[in-house]
């Protein structure tokens, strides 16, 4: 389907109807206009509050029907900085929860202030900001390296960030943080949710908080607690300026900002939970439910936003447009994206009008669109099944890489042989062509080994099981299947043999991630072996457990240097970052032609791919130049704990192999030693070697 056709389909469905244009507050020279959608309402009212006393109602102004379910009012009461809510009256019955006495957050409000627990006021925002000509970096996909982190946790403990900026938007853009990102070699900072969010009452009862932020209160407002104390005191306008200032400074440094956005559910939770906004405006239209009014929860969070209705889908689209244009955000990672693509019968379809509108909207043409391609509903696992213009978290990659370097090795220790050969691992290394079509190519895959959700890299090689007792759920929460391996001791140990093996395992995992075809994503702190002491679901800990520590032991600094080296090698060798899959019958520009050899330097046989006793390969990738010089690399992968001698392949036209990196080195080697075709290389157990082919 062409972009024109899909946009036409979205328009005909009502998603892009002019009736839904201009929702929220539009300020004018003599006040402003408020437009609110509620298809089931009998009446809608604007409630205006005193500037300093959030309990003092100074006016209540009715909205009039404007067609298409939209209610509208123009009034001089609406000015920059005004505090307001709406009240909505409507019929009672299954699925409806109208209450004309409830004060509700206006869904398009770009500022919020709190009047107490669960009590919020919208704030009209001017939003003006001087970008000073700073433009989006527009990092090409093949050069993109994503760094996923928590806005607060990244800078909270950094010794060179002033204490007043710790854990803030301004702190993230401090020169010390920018220097870290640039010296590491990442290009795009992906932030866990920064939309305004609330902590669930259940967590508060346990003395915990929703640290990660996957509990959206509003889709347009930046989370106030991440602003500096000075800007919080000034109010929402200053908070938004700080946020935009962060984006501007990161852009000046050439770094992109990607937001993890949670449009699949809201902080209103299940029926009986808080009624702060959408539930009171039009519960039947905004949340998925049965004819009897019971919620259909495909997110596991109590409610699911019903994007099969035009108003709910448009709310998501307009939020994206706002962040991408007014705030200059470079991309979005869509939490539980399958929920957004479910139709009126609650089934997922990749041609859902909202998904196509997001991909084809001219106002979103320069953003990266990353799907978390699953939710917890029926048919919820959809990896590889999003559209051509989408990127996807590749959980199949994560699982195969973990298996190869960790759980397979654990199995081999107990059973004398690994359970599988190297073939499946090689497919992931080469771009997951069995998951993503030729039309999408390897760059559709967001490769990751760890993420915010799960073990850190260090914990992945240090724990066999999760240790989540501190979460208040008797260790029932968090994934039970982690494909991790503690290498002989659970958690901390002083056994240098175990520690050495763990360090090499981390280097193997990072080496695989950063040398694979596709777009790599690094979890913040993995570059220096951060631990969460075995907690694989630390969403509720706003503490040193989850904040990055910047006090590093020598081995952690060595690991950081390995990541630096790997990212430099990835940047300098285009054969490692193909845009397309190569085809046997034609020359494909910007693809890498891949050849596979065994440890004897011979072409891999079918038996060698599948035989668990032979987990060694030599992978030669040759670029097909389009915008860069010709480049070729050789990667040796050895997946058994017994060392092996590898004969470098004798390839026509190849004169030498220049050593670039080895996972067996505690610190990256400084020299680039040259070897000849036919030379024998002693490869230690469970390790990797990278060469440039000349």
């Amino acid at each position: 389907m062409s972009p024109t056709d899909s946009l036409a389909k979205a328009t005909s469905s009502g998603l892009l109807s002019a009736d839904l244009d201009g929702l929220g507050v539009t300020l004018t020279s003599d006040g402003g206009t408020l437009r609110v959608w509620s298809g089931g309402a009998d009446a809608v009212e604007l409630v205006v509050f005193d500037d300093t006393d959030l309990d003092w109602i100074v006016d209540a102004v009715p909205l009039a029907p404007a067609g298409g379910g939209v209610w509208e009012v123009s009034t001089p009461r609406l000015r920059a900085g005004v505090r307001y809510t709406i009240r909505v009256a409507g019929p009672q019955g299954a699925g409806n929860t109208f209450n004309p006495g409830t004060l509700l957050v206006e869904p398009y409000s770009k500022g919020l202030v709190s009047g107490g627990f669960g009590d919020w006021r919208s704030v009209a925002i001017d939003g003006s900001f001087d970008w000073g000509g700073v433009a989006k970096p527009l990092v090409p996909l093949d050069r993109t390296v994503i760094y996923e982190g928590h806005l607060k946790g990244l800078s909270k403990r950094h010794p060179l960030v002033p204490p007043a900026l710790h854990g803030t938007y301004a702190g993230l853009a401090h020169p010390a943080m920018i220097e870290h990102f640039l010296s590491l070699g990442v290009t795009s900072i992906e932030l866990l949710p920064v939309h305004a969010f609330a902590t669930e009452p259940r967590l508060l009862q346990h003395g915990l908080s929703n640290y990660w932020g996957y509990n959206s209160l509003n889709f347009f407002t930046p989370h106030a607690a991440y602003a500096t104390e000075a800007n919080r005191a000034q109010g929402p306008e200053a908070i938004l300026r700080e946020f935009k200032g962060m984006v501007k400074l990161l852009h000046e440094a050439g770094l992109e900002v990607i937001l993890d956005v949670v449009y699949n559910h809201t902080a209103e939770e299940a029926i009986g939970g808080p009624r702060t906004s959408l539930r009171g405006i039009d519960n039947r239209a905004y949340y998925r439910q049965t004819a009897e009014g019971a919620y259909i929860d495909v997110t596991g969070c109590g409610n699911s936003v019903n994007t099969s209705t035009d108003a709910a889908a448009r709310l998501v689209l307009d939020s994206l447009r706002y962040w991408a244009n007014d705030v200059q955000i470079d991309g979005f990672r869509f939490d539980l994206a399958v929920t957004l693509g479910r139709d009126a019968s609650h089934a997922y379809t990749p041609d859902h009008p909202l998904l196509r509108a997001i991909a084809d909207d001219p106002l979103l043409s320069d953003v990266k669109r990353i799907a978390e391609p699953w939710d917890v509903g029926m048919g919820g696992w959809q990896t590889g099944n999003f559209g051509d213009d989408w990127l996807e978290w590749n959980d199949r990659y994560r699982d195969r890489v973990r298996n190869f370097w960790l759980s397979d090795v654990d199995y081999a220790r107990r059973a004398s042989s690994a359970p599988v050969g190297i073939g499946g691992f090689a497919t992931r290394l080469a771009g997951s062509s069995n998951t993503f079509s030729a039309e999408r190519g390897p760059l559709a895959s967001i490769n990751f080994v760890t993420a915010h959700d799960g073990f850190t890299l260090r914990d992945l090689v240090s724990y066999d099981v999760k240790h989540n007792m501190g979460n208040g759920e008797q260790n029932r929460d968090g994934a039970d299947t982690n494909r991790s391996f503690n290498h002989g001791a659970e958690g901390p140990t002083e056994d240098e043999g175990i520690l050495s093996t763990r360090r090499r395992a981390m280097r193997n995992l990072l080496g695989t991630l950063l040398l694979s075809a596709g777009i790599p994503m690094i979890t913040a702190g993995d570059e220096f072996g951060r631990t969460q002491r075995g907690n694989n679901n630390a969403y509720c800990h706003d503490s040193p457990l989850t904040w990055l520590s910047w006090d590093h032991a020598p081995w952690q600094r060595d690991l950081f240097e390995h990541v630096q080296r790997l990212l430099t090698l990835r940047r300098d060798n285009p054969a490692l970052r193909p845009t397309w899959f190569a085809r046997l019958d034609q020359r494909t520009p910007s693809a890498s032609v891949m050849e596979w050899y065994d440890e004897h330097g011979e072409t891999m046989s079918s038996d060698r791919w599948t035989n668990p006793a032979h987990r060694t390969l030599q992978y030669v990738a040759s670029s097909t130049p389009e915008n860069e010089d010709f480049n070729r690399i050789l990667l040796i992968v050895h997946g058994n704990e017994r060392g092996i001698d590898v004969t470098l392949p004798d390839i026509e036209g190849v004169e030498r192999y220049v050593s670039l990196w080895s996972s067996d080195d505690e610190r990256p080697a400084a020299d680039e030693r040259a070897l000849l075709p036919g030379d024998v290389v002693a490869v230690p157990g469970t390790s990797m070697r990278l060469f440039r082919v000349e």
Side-chain angles (χ1 to χ4, degrees), residues 385-537:
N385 293 329
F386 276 70
D388 292 350
D389 298 299
W390 285 82
L391 316 175
E392 300 180 38
W393 271 26
N394 190 348
D395 56 320
R396 292 181 177 182
Y397 176 95
R398 174 200 64 198
D399 293 349
R400 177 61 71 178
V401 172
R402 288 187 180 188
N403 280 347
F404 185 81
W405 291 118
L406 299 176
S407 55
D408 287 0
V409 175
D410 179 23
Y411 184 96
R413 283 191 181 184
R414 292 179 282 107
S416 75
S417 176
V420 297
I422 202 168
F425 173 85
T427 301
R428 298 302 165 193
L429 183 70
S432 297
S433 60
N434 60 346
T435 301
F436 299 100
S437 66
E439 291 73 23
R440 300 182 69 187
L443 296 180
S445 176
I446 302 295
N447 296 333
F448 67 107
V449 175
T450 66
H452 67 276
D453 186 2
F455 280 143
T456 66
L457 180 71
R458 181 175 170 184
D459 289 355
L460 197 63
V461 304
S462 304
Y463 293 90
D464 279 352
V465 296
K466 65 187 181 183
H467 295 264
N468 295 358
M469 288 299 293
N471 296 357
E473 298 183 45
Q474 299 303 308
N475 213 40
R476 292 188 298 267
D477 65 305
D480 292 315
T481 302
N482 296 284
R483 297 173 167 84
S484 61
F485 179 32
N486 68 19
H487 292 88
E490 187 71 359
T493 179
E494 295 182 359
D495 186 311
E496 181 51 38
I498 292 175
L499 293 174
S500 176
T501 305
R502 287 177 178 177
R503 292 194 296 270
R504 187 171 65 247
M506 285 189 278
R507 295 192 293 269
N508 285 330
L509 290 164
L510 287 167
T512 303
L513 174 65
L514 300 180
L515 301 178
S516 292
I519 299 174
M521 183 185 79
I522 302 170
T523 304
D526 279 354
E527 70 270 31
F528 39 69
R530 181 177 74 92
T531 180
Q532 288 179 169
R533 300 198 297 274
N535 191 319
N536 75 349
N537 191 34

Side-chain angles (χ1 to χ4, degrees), residues 26 52 657:
T26 302
T52 57
Y657 297 95

